[in-house]
Amino acid sequence: MSHNTFGHLFRVTTWGESHGPALGCVVDGCPPGIPLEPAEIQQFLDKRRPGQSRFTTQRKEPDEVEILSGVFSDGEGRQVTTGTPISLMIRNVDQRSKDYGDIASKFRPGHADYAYFKKYGIRDYRGGGRSSARETAARVAAGAVARKIIPGVRIRGALVQVGDIKVDRSLWDWDAVDANPFFCPDAATAVKWADYLDGIRKSGSSIGAVIEVVAEGVPAGWGAPLYGKLDQDIASAMMSINAVKAVEIGAGMAAAELTGEENADEIRIGHDGEPCFLSNHAGGVLGGISTGQPVVCRFAVKPTSSILTQRKTIDINGEEADVMTKGRHDPCVGIRAVPIGEAMMAIVLADHFLRHRAQIG
Amino acid sequence: MSHNTFGHLFRVTTWGESHGPALGCVVDGCPPGIPLEPAEIQQFLDKRRPGQSRFTTQRKEPDEVEILSGVFSDGEGRQVTTGTPISLMIRNVDQRSKDYGDIASKFRPGHADYAYFKKYGIRDYRGGGRSSARETAARVAAGAVARKIIPGVRIRGALVQVGDIKVDRSLWDWDAVDANPFFCPDAATAVKWADYLDGIRKSGSSIGAVIEVVAEGVPAGWGAPLYGKLDQDIASAMMSINAVKAVEIGAGMAAAELTGEENADEIRIGHDGEPCFLSNHAGGVLGGISTGQPVVCRFAVKPTSSILTQRKTIDINGEEADVMTKGRHDPCVGIRAVPIGEAMMAIVLADHFLRHRAQIG
Amino acid sequence: MSHNTFGHLFRVTTWGESHGPALGCVVDGCPPGIPLEPAEIQQFLDKRRPGQSRFTTQRKEPDEVEILSGVFSDGEGRQVTTGTPISLMIRNVDQRSKDYGDIASKFRPGHADYAYFKKYGIRDYRGGGRSSARETAARVAAGAVARKIIPGVRIRGALVQVGDIKVDRSLWDWDAVDANPFFCPDAATAVKWADYLDGIRKSGSSIGAVIEVVAEGVPAGWGAPLYGKLDQDIASAMMSINAVKAVEIGAGMAAAELTGEENADEIRIGHDGEPCFLSNHAGGVLGGISTGQPVVCRFAVKPTSSILTQRKTIDINGEEADVMTKGRHDPCVGIRAVPIGEAMMAIVLADHFLRHRAQIG
Amino acid sequence: MSHNTFGHLFRVTTWGESHGPALGCVVDGCPPGIPLEPAEIQQFLDKRRPGQSRFTTQRKEPDEVEILSGVFSDGEGRQVTTGTPISLMIRNVDQRSKDYGDIASKFRPGHADYAYFKKYGIRDYRGGGRSSARETAARVAAGAVARKIIPGVRIRGALVQVGDIKVDRSLWDWDAVDANPFFCPDAATAVKWADYLDGIRKSGSSIGAVIEVVAEGVPAGWGAPLYGKLDQDIASAMMSINAVKAVEIGAGMAAAELTGEENADEIRIGHDGEPCFLSNHAGGVLGGISTGQPVVCRFAVKPTSSILTQRKTIDINGEEADVMTKGRHDPCVGIRAVPIGEAMMAIVLADHFLRHRAQIG
């Protein structure tokens, strides 16, 4: 058991606070002989990096990753993994010097401030300390390593809902995802979100969102019932991300409204002689085991609790108070959750790939 | 890592198949000196037991639990835990002898049949084998033990949606839950469900449902961020239950539509001098740590895949086929998920109680 | 983490007390499709069974194992594993009814009595409860399953020292091991031990012993440095056996007296073109990883603390007292540790086989 | 499960290679509010640091530790733990640039070279890579943190044997330990060792050693039978240290020669009204649980395999070859194992303190 480790055979232990000197992770269990250059990790960090549009926090962090261990030259000019732990470190750069007075002593409603203080009796209040979304940089770095060990699996994410504005699934285009600042798979909806979020941003408010992550190419058989089910671990992974309040697999909550006939994804034999499902309400998982269909997961992210509106709260002395966040502000923290969700999916799948190989060979 | 164990310090390892001689679990990590009689476990098993109304499967199982280890006389006439592993066993009684021909060779769409076969190359097809909901009897037994070590916590569950018929929350009455065969907290909705489910049952179909589980009395501070968050473990626990496709904490998926102002549960000081939240969108968890508010979780259960309608599938030889389930039929497997959800909540909370005590004292 | 589970991917969770209705274990992580009949387990239980000679305890237990889950017909008349947890149960039969008065209230010096009471505040004093060597029956049963998944590995154990009488290694004969009641690999020494132990037995005393376990056929590469080293896990496994006070790998304690030249097992290429070590001070493990040489382990077992001589102690009320064990008596508990040591070696190797396969493929 | 993590509730994950840019560890599970300054860690690193006498390797490493996360000001000028993961990093400085030609392609007999290559197909041969004793700096740093959470426990180690020269236990003086370059508790023996090791050093050879670690002040009750026994975890911890080939608790291997009467540590009530053992053959552990007596452990370290004498080996192409190590040389690697053994004892005890508190409160 560990408080700060995720995964069983592919294990990620993260460390670091928002305003400490650095953050990072140790990736353990990676097979040897896998080419791994910093640039391969950096591309995913760049996707998650803050301050890339006016719709996310303006903190400026280069998020440059250093590989401190676990790789070596393969003698042919490539740097490869050695099977030993891979230590990844990212220096914090833009820990803006400021007066934390208000945040140091008052709990922001909806924020982890209160719960951390009640648990630990002490908290690093600078930028949220350990509960800051800064930590997710380490997840994204680890996810980049995870992708390398399941090269046949393609993992992509998209933002599918902001407030009550959902994407039009009939217009879904994966190529659109990188062409707008929202990871939106539908260009028309991206325009609507820009307008909507400008309003949210200017009013100092924030709004929730839904992210969808799809993994294609997962072979049938991954997952370890009954308590290491693939969907169970995906739920655990996504719920561990800051601000996530719900996780759905396949039909998700809507499964409650389906009849047995509707829900049962019928099977035929495809032109290639392989089993072919006629629908995917299961989201690629039955009985906790992958079926060979795309693994489909969605999760809801609540609005950031650091808003520019005054809210009722109490302080660390138990006195009633009002609090209002100043400074950098993130109108929709859900946007940057897209690469994070992808990373967590990659980590879960890499772990289950190894677990499957252990038991089945 | 274990495939069939749940929990870290309060650990439950379950075993057994639907049609084997018995099923059970080993509960490890239970503190010593806790009174534990079979009857205390039996009451929860009785709640989950099949065949108690026409709305659940007609399999008749007494589900009598035996405590095989881990308890001893305290010298004053009471049987108490000794701190050693508690082995609980339930004999299977009503494994109806029948011809499994069709099920043995054809995969029921929407069922774990296909995935198990692809993974293991062999499966115990009798009644679903290991993937059967029979296994949940062991969870309920373990949950009864879990409740004993967190006596200040009250855990209750209810069915809140069947198909598209939701309970009327303004009429919520916990006392109503045990007064109808659905664990419905609203007597009027229970009547509607009875009609609706009679239709589903007679047509040989099935329907999904949503369960809500609430834990009151959880003190602030339980939960181990970042990868042993309380809500993360609840999500993992609920998603490990058969047929569950989504898990929500507090506002759940609806958090996507909330603004920061709406979502932030404001805090005041109550008449008792204790912090008092003005709302509970957080579902009692912030930053993965309990806040002292009720912990609120919902999960969606898909319709059972064993229906009396013919569906397209393939067989174990890769040939296209049609399949239709015969015999005992469960129109809404979600009903019996209520005591199971309660049990899993109890197990997660008992585990986190011990984990919190380890680190904080 | 679990108190009563050993192993990571091949996991054994044991339960049960000396005088409870039964004891057993759950074996999790076993690959599917492996033939497994009760008789294959029974043969090892028979080897460990008490009461087979006058040199071990006279408790009469048939130790018949029941397989309660995890196996199914492969359709060709064989029972095979399904990849789901294997529950094994052994009924206790000869829990002799007696007055536990003295043992119930006084701590036997050298016995776990005292420590259990100090930890738990309660203990099942009947026959030692959970700390009884009865529990090792579950280990032996699990070890039998472990052997089935590493069929190329041959694991054999022998008693190599009783008191200060050591076997003559120049006369080592594996075939002799099953031809005497001591698992002694040297017939001449077995005769000496018989005489010696008759004296010990008649005087109501007891004596320690050393067991050696050798695993041949372990390929190079098993072991997971730095904290899942093969020899580390062997040390952990052997030290978990009742009464074990020391574990040696290869040269063991004597390594302290070796020079670098002596200790370095030189390597040549053998007639078969494979690497061939000229000695095996390493005991088959370098850097925590197997080398392909036989894995050699020894462990020392202290004399049983239940002796017929009066000893000074205290009682549960903290009063000074004298205590003397009556009834069944085991002059050299080390004898029966031979099959137990073999079982633990099998469990460690099966676990590392799966772990190696996970990371390396 | 993790390859590079030790401990369950107090968990240490180490990373880094001998010649990489840095090495370090993440310490997870540390309770909050514990004062922790770099200097408190540094003092133990200084004790382990290489190059402090002519009897250890001449590599010059300052071993300066950086605390990268997990601490914060307590508002009163002290830096304390926050309950979040503590990341410790030590830069490598003296990675001497040289031609690794011979070592890169030939396996040193008795060294992990061969086994790593067989397992991973690649190895960082510079200074032993991951298998280097450099990694133990991270253990010592983590051990310093561990000591802080069990302040009532005093952990001390000593070198008790070099080659066949043992300390005279009648002259044991803990104060002598820091007064000679061997951590020898007996000044007279230290003189003998100096002579003896000068001979070893000049001949380019090496020699094994035995270390003893004693923990005083451990209360009765720590340890989690049956598979988380205190002595089991100590054995695992010590065997995980480079070059260790055997571990003893209390009487150790000599327990084999004890009678039941000799072995049973009798108990009386002391002048303070507390139980008082008349001997400590048990080494402070019975049934896997601490008794309140000093916990006593010894372990044997083999001679370093890097010697200046030519030895027979093979190379990575499977060709026979001779190899001789050049450059820095460590005549008795056992010396520096003293602070490492202390650190591992501290880590095990801190872990068991938390585990005990979880289950017992």
Side-chain angles (χ1 to χ4, degrees), chain D residues 182-193:
Chain D
F182 308 108
F183 304 111
C184 179
D186 150 16
T189 299
V191 174
K192 289 186 212 164
W193 288 350

PDB file of all heavy atoms in Angstrom, chain D residues 182-193:
ATOM      1  N   PHE D 182      36.193   1.135  11.686  1.00  0.00           N
ATOM      2  CA  PHE D 182      35.498  -0.125  11.371  1.00  0.00           C
ATOM      3  C   PHE D 182      34.131  -0.254  12.028  1.00  0.00           C
ATOM      4  O   PHE D 182      33.479  -1.271  11.889  1.00  0.00           O
ATOM      5  CB  PHE D 182      36.364  -1.312  11.825  1.00  0.00           C
ATOM      6  CG  PHE D 182      37.764  -1.266  11.329  1.00  0.00           C
ATOM      7  CD1 PHE D 182      38.826  -0.989  12.192  1.00  0.00           C
ATOM      8  CD2 PHE D 182      38.039  -1.480   9.992  1.00  0.00           C
ATOM      9  CE1 PHE D 182      40.126  -0.937  11.737  1.00  0.00           C
ATOM     10  CE2 PHE D 182      39.343  -1.434   9.526  1.00  0.00           C
ATOM     11  CZ  PHE D 182      40.398  -1.156  10.392  1.00  0.00           C
ATOM     12  N   PHE D 183      33.727   0.731  12.814  1.00  0.00           N
ATOM     13  CA  PHE D 183      32.525   0.582  13.641  1.00  0.00           C
ATOM     14  C   PHE D 183      32.674  -0.637  14.554  1.00  0.00           C
ATOM     15  O   PHE D 183      31.738  -1.398  14.756  1.00  0.00           O
ATOM     16  CB  PHE D 183      31.265   0.461  12.782  1.00  0.00           C
ATOM     17  CG  PHE D 183      31.063   1.597  11.818  1.00  0.00           C
ATOM     18  CD1 PHE D 183      31.182   1.388  10.445  1.00  0.00           C
ATOM     19  CD2 PHE D 183      30.754   2.872  12.264  1.00  0.00           C
ATOM     20  CE1 PHE D 183      30.998   2.435   9.540  1.00  0.00           C
ATOM     21  CE2 PHE D 183      30.573   3.933  11.359  1.00  0.00           C
ATOM     22  CZ  PHE D 183      30.696   3.709  10.000  1.00  0.00           C
ATOM     23  N   CYS D 184      33.874  -0.813  15.060  1.00  0.00           N
ATOM     24  CA  CYS D 184      34.166  -1.968  15.911  1.00  0.00           C
ATOM     25  C   CYS D 184      33.906  -1.615  17.383  1.00  0.00           C
ATOM     26  O   CYS D 184      34.401  -0.597  17.874  1.00  0.00           O
ATOM     27  CB  CYS D 184      35.630  -2.383  15.744  1.00  0.00           C
ATOM     28  SG  CYS D 184      36.075  -3.793  16.777  1.00  0.00           S
ATOM     29  N   PRO D 185      33.148  -2.457  18.081  1.00  0.00           N
ATOM     30  CA  PRO D 185      32.789  -2.132  19.465  1.00  0.00           C
ATOM     31  C   PRO D 185      33.857  -2.545  20.478  1.00  0.00           C
ATOM     32  O   PRO D 185      33.566  -2.562  21.683  1.00  0.00           O
ATOM     33  CB  PRO D 185      31.507  -2.941  19.675  1.00  0.00           C
ATOM     34  CG  PRO D 185      31.710  -4.150  18.823  1.00  0.00           C
ATOM     35  CD  PRO D 185      32.491  -3.693  17.619  1.00  0.00           C
ATOM     36  N   ASP D 186      35.012  -2.878  20.004  1.00  0.00           N
ATOM     37  CA  ASP D 186      36.047  -3.420  20.896  1.00  0.00           C
ATOM     38  C   ASP D 186      37.385  -2.918  20.323  1.00  0.00           C
ATOM     39  O   ASP D 186      37.818  -3.336  19.246  1.00  0.00           O
ATOM     40  CB  ASP D 186      35.900  -4.958  20.880  1.00  0.00           C
ATOM     41  CG  ASP D 186      37.182  -5.726  21.108  1.00  0.00           C
ATOM     42  OD1 ASP D 186      38.178  -5.148  21.574  1.00  0.00           O
ATOM     43  OD2 ASP D 186      37.179  -6.940  20.806  1.00  0.00           O
ATOM     44  N   ALA D 187      37.999  -1.982  21.028  1.00  0.00           N
ATOM     45  CA  ALA D 187      39.169  -1.283  20.507  1.00  0.00           C
ATOM     46  C   ALA D 187      40.315  -2.239  20.162  1.00  0.00           C
ATOM     47  O   ALA D 187      41.037  -2.046  19.176  1.00  0.00           O
ATOM     48  CB  ALA D 187      39.644  -0.228  21.519  1.00  0.00           C
ATOM     49  N   ALA D 188      40.460  -3.275  20.943  1.00  0.00           N
ATOM     50  CA  ALA D 188      41.555  -4.214  20.707  1.00  0.00           C
ATOM     51  C   ALA D 188      41.382  -4.935  19.367  1.00  0.00           C
ATOM     52  O   ALA D 188      42.329  -5.098  18.591  1.00  0.00           O
ATOM     53  CB  ALA D 188      41.612  -5.236  21.850  1.00  0.00           C
ATOM     54  N   THR D 189      40.193  -5.351  19.116  1.00  0.00           N
ATOM     55  CA  THR D 189      39.942  -6.047  17.853  1.00  0.00           C
ATOM     56  C   THR D 189      40.125  -5.096  16.668  1.00  0.00           C
ATOM     57  O   THR D 189      40.587  -5.509  15.596  1.00  0.00           O
ATOM     58  CB  THR D 189      38.532  -6.668  17.858  1.00  0.00           C
ATOM     59  OG1 THR D 189      38.475  -7.612  18.940  1.00  0.00           O
ATOM     60  CG2 THR D 189      38.231  -7.383  16.558  1.00  0.00           C
ATOM     61  N   ALA D 190      39.765  -3.842  16.870  1.00  0.00           N
ATOM     62  CA  ALA D 190      39.924  -2.866  15.784  1.00  0.00           C
ATOM     63  C   ALA D 190      41.375  -2.800  15.321  1.00  0.00           C
ATOM     64  O   ALA D 190      41.650  -2.682  14.116  1.00  0.00           O
ATOM     65  CB  ALA D 190      39.437  -1.486  16.231  1.00  0.00           C
ATOM     66  N   VAL D 191      42.285  -2.910  16.251  1.00  0.00           N
ATOM     67  CA  VAL D 191      43.711  -2.898  15.911  1.00  0.00           C
ATOM     68  C   VAL D 191      44.074  -4.115  15.069  1.00  0.00           C
ATOM     69  O   VAL D 191      44.760  -4.023  14.049  1.00  0.00           O
ATOM     70  CB  VAL D 191      44.570  -2.847  17.193  1.00  0.00           C
ATOM     71  CG1 VAL D 191      46.046  -2.983  16.856  1.00  0.00           C
ATOM     72  CG2 VAL D 191      44.304  -1.557  17.959  1.00  0.00           C
ATOM     73  N   LYS D 192      43.565  -5.243  15.494  1.00  0.00           N
ATOM     74  CA  LYS D 192      43.834  -6.472  14.715  1.00  0.00           C
ATOM     75  C   LYS D 192      43.291  -6.355  13.296  1.00  0.00           C
ATOM     76  O   LYS D 192      43.918  -6.758  12.324  1.00  0.00           O
ATOM     77  CB  LYS D 192      43.161  -7.674  15.391  1.00  0.00           C
ATOM     78  CG  LYS D 192      43.790  -8.120  16.692  1.00  0.00           C
ATOM     79  CD  LYS D 192      43.122  -9.421  17.173  1.00  0.00           C
ATOM     80  CE  LYS D 192      43.107  -9.490  18.685  1.00  0.00           C
ATOM     81  NZ  LYS D 192      42.175 -10.488  19.195  1.00  0.00           N
ATOM     82  N   TRP D 193      42.068  -5.826  13.191  1.00  0.00           N
ATOM     83  CA  TRP D 193      41.467  -5.691  11.868  1.00  0.00           C
ATOM     84  C   TRP D 193      42.285  -4.750  10.969  1.00  0.00           C
ATOM     85  O   TRP D 193      42.402  -4.990   9.766  1.00  0.00           O
ATOM     86  CB  TRP D 193      40.034  -5.165  11.973  1.00  0.00           C
ATOM     87  CG  TRP D 193      39.057  -6.175  12.513  1.00  0.00           C
ATOM     88  CD1 TRP D 193      39.270  -7.507  12.719  1.00  0.00           C
ATOM     89  CD2 TRP D 193      37.712  -5.920  12.917  1.00  0.00           C
ATOM     90  NE1 TRP D 193      38.139  -8.096  13.227  1.00  0.00           N
ATOM     91  CE2 TRP D 193      37.161  -7.144  13.359  1.00  0.00           C
ATOM     92  CE3 TRP D 193      36.917  -4.774  12.970  1.00  0.00           C
ATOM     93  CZ2 TRP D 193      35.851  -7.257  13.824  1.00  0.00           C
ATOM     94  CZ3 TRP D 193      35.607  -4.881  13.422  1.00  0.00           C
ATOM     95  CH2 TRP D 193      35.079  -6.117  13.857  1.00  0.00           C
TER      96      TRP D 193
END
